[in-house]
Amino acid sequence: MKKAIAFLLIFTFISAAVMAADVASKTFPLNSEIYELMDDLYSLQGLARPSTSRPWSQSEAKLILLRIDETKLNSSEKRLYDRIQDIISENLRWNFSDFALGLKIDLALEGYMHSNDTDFVLDTDWLRGFESRRPLAKLSMDFSVGSLFYTYCDLQYGYGKVTRHDTFVRLNPDHSAGDIMSEDGYIGSYRMDSGAHIMVWSNQYSKKLANNLLPKSEWFDFIWPKRALVSAGGENWNIQFGRDRLEIGNSTLGNLLVDNHTDFEDYMSVTFFSSLFKYQWTNLFLNGITDNGETRTDDTRIFMIHTLEFRPIPKLSFIISEDVMFKIASDEDGTQVVDYSFFNPAFIWHNLNNRSMFNAIAYAEVNWAAFKGAEFYGQFALDQAVAPNENPDQGDAWGLVTGAKYTAAIGDGVARFYAEFAYTTPLLYRRDQVDFVKMTRYFHLTTDSQYQPDTSYDSFGSNALVFEYIGFPYGGDVETLEIGTVYNLPGILKAKLYGRLLQQGEFNLFVSHNKDNKNEGWPNYEGKTPSGTNWTRAIYLSSNIEMKMDSFFNWPGVTLEAELDWIGKWNFNSGTKEYSNGKTDTQFSIGANIRL
């Protein structure tokens, strides 16, 4: 115990005594408060929102802040400005000439409670799901060499997204998986191998009372690090390779091209930026293995994205982007062949006319600051439109998000009020052979024997599959409206409140895009949003408060957080106008995080 105390004292002394230099290539994770603070400051100044292709490097964040004239800020805006400067200038803990080293330890204690442990049994049934919950412990390490090079990696100990105590269903043609697979054994454009399985009931998320204290190591999350990257950059450029959460878009509901609701993305990005223009080439590397074992990769996918971002005038910014999913699969002899000419970032990828390998999607976004505090914004994604000389049986696939936001200084903080609406057609992101569905393998220890839908018994081990959309989290066939407010007292307190209405037709990620229920077939699912007659209608209400205790003591860093949510879901028959199968859940989470 004495050795531990001595180590902490030495650690604290060195941390306080040593200052580090600027690192242009350092990147800010998406959970950094710099993004909301910068958005608020821009809105209060009547400027269009800063770059929505995130995360930013330190040099890009500095350039974005340089657009603000500090001499024209009032007291509330100056507090935002100073807090942003503090975040940008916060460097690694130890500096040794041209080498700097950082080390942080986060210890979190969280508790969870909900009222309905029968119908809300998965992490996706919670508003505060797996991606929002903190692990019990996390160690973060980073270092830099000069200003050019930066690298980061974290290790964590927390509950897994799947564990051996959950319930799974086998996904292969020899077992009946209910409505999860198509008739020919697919989920989306992925054909299920014999070992494929998916979780249908979570032990941790179905509990009425739970916490983040692991009773045994068998509950452990084997998929880490969650964030690991190398970054090189200078005054107007940055190159990254690694794993992190990414986003491209200006929406709170969900972004159509790349959204941040997933656990992580494996990626490579090249970015060049100036005060008026930003160019970014991003490649997301996606898993294609559906078997649960240690098998050789015979199907991998790369989502290739190039975005052009313009700021022609201070009040207006917009993005245009043309992107493609590239499928690399083995030939019949087991050999993978890659034509590297396809990676040309200046190419028009839609002209790679090979639908067995490619699926293109176009994206556009606009941000307009009408006057100080007021902003209007929108984004549009076009996945498929029937062009001349194309098969008319293929349905259109597109999505739209539009919103308005008003930001005002209230007291010593800033309040933000917003409203957003989203509409997606059923076949957005979906097609035979190549689609925009992400499939991640999550490792777990072997389960006991479990009863299956076809009345057999089976045990499950190794990797379970989790399917998600890369973009808009609800996918296609959705209409949704969200109204909310956020109050932010920089560095001290943040409070959020929102309500969301959602209506979804019969189509979802596990429904075949083909009328004959065969995913090798043409995407000819019929119907307009909301499709069919049996719709899902849902109401989401959420409140969250987060307090930072830095104003009371500087070390250790302590954050307190509480969240209260309510969800109601019903089936609605559009023919009879009747509701049925109603289910509700009240969810409460509370926690504290200590950073050493």
Side-chain angles (χ1 to χ4, degrees):
M1 184 66 182
K2 292 181 179 179
K3 290 182 178 179
I5 294 174
F7 171 78
L8 287 175
L9 289 173
I10 294 171
F11 183 86
T12 307
F13 173 77
I14 295 175
S15 300
V18 181
M19 299 297 290
D22 285 351
V23 182
S25 53
K26 178 183 175 181
T27 64
F28 300 101
L30 289 186
N31 61 3
S32 170
E33 61 180 322
I34 190 172
Y35 299 104
E36 284 191 291
L37 295 177
M38 197 78 82
D39 287 347
D40 287 343
L41 182 58
Y42 264 56
S43 184
L44 290 171
Q45 286 291 291
L47 302 175
R49 194 177 309 195
S51 174
T52 58
S53 300
R54 301 172 179 181
W56 302 330
S57 65
Q58 186 184 74
S59 57
E60 184 177 2
K62 281 186 172 182
L63 185 146
I64 291 171
L65 189 60
L66 281 174
R67 297 193 188 108
I68 303 296
D69 186 349
E70 185 181 0
T71 63
K72 296 182 180 180
L73 303 180
N74 60 34
S75 58
S76 297
E77 295 164 351
K78 187 65 166 60
R79 273 188 288 271
L80 289 176
Y81 186 92
D82 291 342
R83 178 59 181 165
I84 293 170
Q85 274 200 323
D86 289 342
I87 296 171
I88 292 176
S89 60
E90 180 185 359
N91 291 294
L92 309 190
R93 272 185 163 144
W94 302 295
N95 180 42
F96 308 95
S97 183
D98 57 354
F99 169 72
L101 176 67
L103 179 68
K104 294 178 182 178
I105 300 172
D106 286 274
L107 303 174
L109 180 62
E110 294 191 338
Y112 321 102
M113 176 178 67
H114 73 140
S115 60
N116 187 340
D117 59 351
T118 302
D119 301 305
F120 294 78
V121 297
L122 299 172
D123 74 290
T124 51
D125 293 327
W126 287 70
L127 283 180
R128 188 178 179 86
F130 176 77
E131 290 77 16
S132 301
R133 297 185 179 187
R134 292 186 176 95
L136 178 64
K138 183 171 76 170
L139 173 67
S140 305
M141 302 170 291
D142 52 356
F143 68 83
S144 64
V145 179
S147 178
L148 180 71
F149 178 81
Y150 172 82
T151 185
Y152 172 98
C153 183
D154 61 31
L155 302 84
Q156 68 176 48
Y157 185 74
Y159 271 96
K161 192 177 182 75
V162 299
T163 73
R164 69 180 302 267
H165 301 280
D166 301 330
T167 300
F168 299 90
V169 168
R170 182 72 66 189
L171 298 173
N172 66 62
D174 297 328
H175 291 70
S176 172
D179 298 328
I180 298 177
M181 284 194 307
S182 65
E183 185 179 316
D184 51 352
Y186 282 79
I187 294 178
S189 64
Y190 297 93
R191 181 169 176 79
M192 298 299 105
D193 289 324
S194 59
H197 58 280
I198 191 171
M199 181 181 66
V200 294
W201 179 86
S202 168
N203 184 294
Q204 171 72 350
Y205 290 90
S206 62
K207 293 177 181 176
K208 281 198 170 182
L209 293 172
N211 56 59
N212 70 335
L213 298 172
L214 282 69
K216 295 181 180 179
S217 60
E218 61 193 39
W219 298 85
F220 172 61
D221 183 1
F222 292 88
I223 309 302
W224 53 268
K226 301 294 186 182
R227 184 170 186 253
L229 59 94
V230 292
S231 172
E235 184 177 355
N236 293 97
W237 63 277
N238 183 259
I239 299 174
Q240 294 182 31
F241 183 82
R243 170 178 290 184
D244 203 350
R245 288 188 185 177
L246 312 177
E247 71 176 4
I248 300 174
N250 49 19
S251 174
T252 302
L253 268 172
N255 295 301
L256 295 173
L257 188 60
V258 178
D259 192 58
N260 64 7
H261 66 277
T262 62
D263 197 10
F264 56 81
E265 301 288 355
D266 293 308
Y267 73 100
M268 185 274 290
S269 68
V270 178
T271 310
F272 298 93
F273 45 86
S274 70
S275 60
L276 299 177
F277 175 73
K278 178 177 178 179
Y279 174 85
Q280 188 168 58
W281 175 42
T282 304
N283 295 275
L284 307 186
F285 306 109
L286 306 174
N287 165 65
I289 302 174
T290 62
D291 192 80
N292 67 322
E294 298 177 0
T295 58
R296 186 179 70 89
T297 299
D298 60 359
D299 179 346
T300 189
R301 306 181 186 204
I302 303 174
F303 189 19
M304 303 190 296
I305 303 166
H306 50 192
T307 59
L308 306 176
E309 185 170 343
F310 301 88
R311 298 184 67 87
I313 58 174
K315 290 181 174 293
L316 177 68
S317 67
F318 63 91
I319 289 177
I320 55 174
S321 180
E322 191 253 356
D323 322 288
V324 69
M325 183 69 76
F326 179 20
K327 177 181 177 180
I328 306 170
S330 296
D331 292 338
E332 293 181 1
D333 62 358
T335 302
Q336 285 187 323
V337 178
V338 180
D339 186 337
Y340 293 98
S341 67
F342 296 149
F343 291 96
N344 181 355
F347 200 76
I348 305 299
W349 287 322
H350 186 272
N351 285 342
L352 297 172
N353 293 308
N354 187 337
R355 66 189 316 275
S356 67
M357 297 172 59
F358 301 103
N359 187 5
I361 187 170
Y363 173 82
E365 172 192 323
V366 64
N367 300 278
W368 175 48
F371 51 87
K372 285 189 175 182
E375 180 184 353
F376 299 91
Y377 54 93
Q379 52 184 271
F380 178 77
L382 179 61
D383 187 0
Q384 175 63 38
V386 179
N389 305 314
E390 282 193 325
N391 191 329
D393 293 337
Q394 187 172 204
D396 291 342
W398 55 272
L400 171 71
V401 177
T402 184
K405 182 183 72 170
Y406 183 74
T407 306
I410 299 180
D412 292 333
V414 176
R416 181 169 66 251
F417 308 90
Y418 69 91
E420 290 187 3
F421 172 77
Y423 177 95
T424 60
T425 63
L427 289 174
L428 179 65
Y429 306 131
R430 295 292 300 278
R431 201 171 77 177
D432 59 304
Q433 304 190 67
V434 189
D435 58 19
F436 296 99
V437 174
K438 177 183 178 182
M439 178 181 64
T440 308
R441 302 205 307 167
Y442 282 88
F443 183 85
H444 63 90
L445 299 177
T446 302
T447 70
D448 295 330
S449 184
Q450 297 181 358
Y451 184 77
Q452 294 294 287
D454 64 353
T455 72
S456 66
Y457 283 84
D458 205 348
S459 60
F460 302 88
S462 297
N463 296 284
L465 300 178
V466 173
F467 296 87
E468 302 165 291
Y469 292 108
I470 300 169
F472 194 67
Y474 296 107
D477 210 9
V478 166
E479 297 171 307
T480 182
L481 172 69
E482 180 172 307
I483 299 175
T485 183
V486 180
Y487 182 75
N488 196 353
L489 202 56
I492 300 175
L493 177 144
K494 183 169 72 173
K496 298 188 293 185
L497 180 69
Y498 72 81
R500 181 186 305 157
L501 302 176
L502 181 140
Q503 180 168 264
Q504 183 163 20
E506 295 182 358
F507 191 79
N508 60 52
L509 196 153
F510 301 102
V511 173
S512 176
H513 52 253
N514 177 262
K515 289 189 294 186
D516 297 324
N517 194 26
K518 295 182 179 180
N519 281 16
E520 287 186 354
W522 203 257
N524 55 8
Y525 178 90
E526 294 180 343
K528 295 184 178 181
T529 304
S531 68
T533 57
N534 296 310
W535 305 345
T536 297
R537 287 184 170 177
I539 301 174
Y540 301 87
L541 302 174
S542 179
S543 59
N544 176 285
I545 186 167
E546 179 182 296
M547 294 186 62
K548 295 182 182 296
M549 310 305 291
D550 295 356
S551 58
F552 299 97
F553 41 84
N554 290 328
W555 191 92
V558 177
T559 302
L560 307 177
E561 186 174 9
E563 180 168 329
L564 178 63
D565 304 317
W566 184 88
I567 301 175
K569 292 184 177 182
W570 298 266
N571 292 341
F572 176 74
N573 188 296
S574 61
T576 63
K577 309 298 182 184
E578 294 179 349
Y579 288 88
S580 63
N581 195 28
K583 46 193 176 184
T584 63
D585 193 23
T586 301
Q587 304 170 352
F588 179 69
S589 305
I590 190 169
N593 186 80
I594 299 175
R595 170 163 289 184
L596 304 176

